[in-house]
Amino acid sequence: GDSVTQMEGPVTLSEEAFLTINCTYTATGYPSLFWYVQYPGEGLQLLLKATKADDKGSNKGFEATYRKETTSFHLEKGSVQVSDSAVYFCALRGDNNDMRFGAGTRLTVKP
Amino acid sequence: DAGVIQSPRHEVTEMGQEVTLRCKPISGHNSLFWYRQTMMRGLELLIYFNNNVPIDDSGMPEDRFSAKMPNASFSTLKIQPSEPRDSAVYFCASRLLDTQYFGPGTRLTVL
């Protein structure tokens, strides 16, 4: 079945460092891909999404490109801030409308 | 837009007691999801509804768990009897097109 694999955390960075969180997927058909973010004590919030190959989702300085050839959707940000500290979830929605979430990657940004 | 509303936000109960969690989805969204999040198991899909009809309840851990959606604006997740291993954060989410919107969650502690 469809699945998502994302890099294990935790990830600890200094402020203004470059961030990459890897995400790869397995799916039949043409899934939509998502990154969600969960701040402490809150529910998941949609960060960005891409619905077809080569689409780039972007929001709040974060970007991810839907790469069908490598079945990847890596999350990147050029300069992280302390306020970006959160847990990040990669997810896909397959042709059967089921949503699959990765295990989550905890990011801590230190001043 | 008030977003997905969940109540209560926190629940502490004793083993053997009945627990009812409530969710009000965003108006106009026709799919509703219940998730459970724990440190050990991450985010697990318990059940989801389309147009108030349960579609997939394969994630419901056992018969102690039940969920209903009597109308488009309300859903409940009931645990009876509750056990300490049910302690977790329970999230409700509703979906429009291919994007899920999460509520703030209910933190359940079973003593």
Side-chain angles (χ1 to χ4, degrees), chain A residues 18-93:
Chain A
F18 184 86
L19 168 71
T20 300
I21 300 178
N22 290 339
C23 171
T24 57
Y25 68 90
T26 301
T28 56
Y30 304 94
S32 295
L33 301 175
F34 306 81
W35 278 100
Y36 280 81
V37 58
Q38 184 180 28
Y39 298 103
E42 299 183 11
L44 280 70
Q45 304 173 23
L46 178 66
L47 180 59
L48 54 84
K49 68 178 183 180
T51 57
K52 61 182 187 299
D54 299 326
D55 270 2
K56 177 186 285 188
S58 61
N59 185 25
K60 300 180 181 180
F62 291 87
E63 294 183 341
T65 301
Y66 189 142
R67 301 284 189 201
K68 192 169 177 61
E69 64 275 15
T70 54
T71 62
S72 65
F73 193 55
H74 304 321
L75 182 68
E76 297 182 335
K77 186 175 185 182
S79 176
V80 293
Q81 305 300 312
V82 173
S83 58
D84 295 326
S85 298
V87 181
Y88 292 82
F89 293 87
C90 186
L92 72 78
R93 181 174 180 242

Side-chain angles (χ1 to χ4, degrees), chain B residues 64-80:
Chain B
R64 297 184 297 107
F65 286 68
S66 63
K68 294 182 180 180
M69 192 165 185
N71 57 62
S73 59
F74 184 66
S75 177
T76 59
L77 177 68
K78 184 178 294 185
I79 308 172
Q80 166 62 16

Side-chain angles (χ1 to χ4, degrees), chain B residues 3-15:
Chain B
V4 175
I5 299 173
Q6 291 187 246
S7 64
R9 291 295 310 275
H10 302 273
E11 177 80 30
V12 180
T13 191
E14 293 188 347
M15 183 173 63

Side-chain angles (χ1 to χ4, degrees), chain B residues 51-91:
Chain B
N51 297 316
N52 313 337
V53 176
I55 301 300
D56 183 0
D57 65 353
S58 59
M60 297 286 261
E62 48 198 276
D63 291 345
R64 297 184 297 107
F65 286 68
S66 63
K68 294 182 180 180
M69 192 165 185
N71 57 62
S73 59
F74 184 66
S75 177
T76 59
L77 177 68
K78 184 178 294 185
I79 308 172
Q80 166 62 16
S82 58
E83 298 182 2
R85 60 194 169 115
D86 301 330
S87 297
V89 180
Y90 291 80
F91 289 103

